[in-house]
Amino acid sequence: MSCFRRLLVAALTLVTASVGAQAPDRITFATDWLAQAEHGGFYQAVAEGIYKKHGLDVTLKMGGPQVNGLQLLAAGQLDVVMGDALQVVSAIEQNVPVTAIAATFQKNPTAIIAHPGIAKLEDLKGQPIAIGAASNTTFWPWLKQRYGFTDSQKRPYGFSVQPFLADKTLSQQGFATSEPFSIEKAGVTPVVFLLADLGYPPYSEALVVTRDTLSKRADVLQRFVRASAEGWKSYLANPAPGNALIKRDNPQMSDELLAYSHRKMKEYALVTGGDSAQQGMLTMTDARWKQTLDFLRSAGLTKAGTDYANAYTLSIVRDVKVLP
C-alpha cells in the first residue's frame, strides 16, 4: 500500500471514529403521572436501547399530583413533557410559549363507568354521576352538549371507586385502562363508555415542548418522536422490558394492573387507532385539533383573541410514520 493510501485510510478511520464517538443528544422527558403502562412505550424505548440507536440519551422523569410539567417546561427544567391537549390550549391562553409536537393516545382514555344493565350512555341522563372538579372544563361540557346531561346530576368524585361500589345508581368518571380494573377486582363487571369512541375529540398524552426548543432542536425532537413511536410498537408487542423499568420507578405498580392496562390499550386501540394506521403512531392532524377547538368554542371554553394555531405543530411528527 502506498504512503498516500495509508494516510487516506488512516484519515478516514479517524473521521469514522470521531462520528461514532459523538456524544448523544440529551433529552429530559417528564410523564404526566407515576410510572404506569400508559407510559410503556417510552420506558420500552429506554429498555430496548431504541433511543440510544437514534443518538439520544433520554432521561425519564415521573409526573405526579404535585408536579406541574408545563410550568417546569416553561422554566427550562425539562425538554419535553406529557400533557393533555386541553392543558396545552390552556397554556396558550396564558401566553405560555409551548406547543404540542405529537400525541401518544389517538383516543383519549377518559370514560364514564356505569353499573351492569346500562346499555347506552344516554341512559344516564338524569342519573347521578361522580365527576371531578377539573372535568367541568373538559369532558363534562361535552356530555352536556351531546347528551343533555345537567349539573344537577353531578356528584363529588374523590378518585376512589368505593362510592360507585356502594351505590348501584351511581356512575363515575375514570380512565378505561385503570378504574375498571379496581371495580372488577371488587366483583363487579362495569359498563365502560369510552368517550373518544363517541366523538370526544381531544388528544391525550401529547408531547409538548417550548417553541424555543422547537426552533433550535427540530432534528433531535424528530428523532425522539420516531424512537418513542418505535418504543410503543415494541411495547404493545411485548411489554416485559418496559414493565421492568416501570416497576423500578414505581414499585407500587402491580404486574396484574400492568397486564390489564396493556390489554385495554390494545383492545381500545388507544395508541394504534384514529389516524395512526395511515400516518403512523403518535401522529396528529389539523382536523382533530380543529374538532377540539370547535368543541371548546361551542362550549364557551375558549378565550377571545387567543391564537390557538400555536397550540400544536405537525412539522415534527409529519415524517415519522412508524405504522402500528
Side-chain angles (χ1 to χ4, degrees):
M1 181 183 291
S2 69
C3 180
F4 174 77
R5 290 187 65 188
R6 283 198 298 271
L7 289 172
L8 180 61
V9 170
L12 289 173
T13 301
L14 286 172
V15 170
T16 301
S18 175
V19 171
Q22 185 176 354
D25 293 295
R26 293 183 178 181
I27 290 281
T28 302
F29 170 51
T31 62
D32 59 354
W33 197 249
L34 303 177
Q36 55 189 332
E38 289 86 338
H39 307 148
F42 305 104
Y43 280 93
Q44 188 89 347
V46 173
E48 296 279 84
I50 298 171
Y51 287 131
K52 185 177 180 180
K53 180 186 75 173
H54 286 278
L56 301 171
D57 177 6
V58 175
T59 299
L60 293 182
K61 291 191 173 185
M62 293 193 298
Q66 306 302 321
V67 179
N68 187 326
L70 288 176
Q71 187 176 71
L72 294 173
L73 179 72
Q77 297 182 36
L78 299 168
D79 299 305
V80 185
V81 301
M82 183 184 290
D84 186 275
L86 299 187
Q87 292 176 311
V88 179
V89 169
S90 178
I92 295 300
E93 292 175 341
Q94 298 170 54
N95 295 315
V96 180
V98 297
T99 189
I101 60 171
T104 310
F105 285 162
Q106 300 300 297
K107 294 183 181 180
N108 194 302
T110 301
I112 295 296
I113 304 165
H115 283 273
I118 301 297
K120 298 178 293 184
L121 185 56
E122 47 263 48
D123 293 341
L124 295 179
K125 184 176 180 179
Q127 301 300 312
I129 306 176
I131 298 295
S135 303
N136 288 314
T137 54
T138 57
F139 66 85
W140 184 249
W142 182 83
L143 288 172
K144 290 169 67 175
Q145 283 185 334
R146 179 65 65 94
Y147 296 103
F149 289 2
T150 63
D151 288 340
S152 63
Q153 296 178 241
K154 292 191 300 182
R155 301 294 184 271
Y157 178 57
F159 298 92
S160 167
V161 301
Q162 293 307 313
F164 175 91
L165 295 170
D167 183 354
K168 292 185 178 181
T169 70
L170 181 68
S171 299
Q172 70 160 70
Q173 71 174 62
F175 288 139
T177 51
S178 56
E179 279 77 8
F181 170 78
S182 300
I183 294 171
E184 290 178 19
K185 290 282 286 182
V188 177
T189 302
V191 179
V192 179
F193 297 103
L194 186 70
L195 300 188
D197 282 343
L198 300 172
Y200 184 58
Y203 287 115
S204 183
E205 288 196 5
L207 304 185
V208 189
V209 301
T210 63
R211 291 199 285 275
D212 183 62
T213 297
L214 175 65
S215 67
K216 294 178 179 177
R217 305 185 74 191
D219 172 68
V220 174
L221 292 176
Q222 187 173 76
R223 281 186 278 132
F224 174 72
V225 172
R226 178 175 288 108
S228 298
E230 291 177 6
W232 272 106
K233 185 169 184 173
S234 173
Y235 183 76
L236 292 173
N238 172 27
N243 283 348
L245 292 188
I246 289 171
K247 291 178 66 178
R248 182 199 66 185
D249 279 4
N250 183 10
Q252 302 303 313
M253 179 57 61
S254 70
D255 290 330
E256 195 175 7
L257 179 54
L258 283 169
Y260 180 90
S261 299
H262 180 267
R263 184 171 72 251
K264 291 301 177 180
M265 282 191 288
K266 293 181 69 174
E267 179 183 319
Y268 290 113
L270 298 186
V271 180
T272 58
D275 299 295
S276 68
Q278 287 76 39
Q279 300 188 33
M281 291 184 288
L282 275 64
T283 194
M284 301 189 300
T285 67
D286 290 317
R288 260 300 275 289
W289 276 95
K290 183 179 185 301
Q291 289 172 5
T292 299
L293 291 167
D294 285 347
F295 148 61
L296 292 172
R297 290 186 179 105
S298 65
L301 297 175
T302 52
K303 185 177 178 180
T306 301
D307 183 5
Y308 291 103
N310 289 324
Y312 73 100
T313 177
L314 305 182
S315 62
I316 299 298
V317 78
R318 181 185 293 121
D319 297 323
V320 171
K321 294 187 178 177
V322 177
L323 299 177

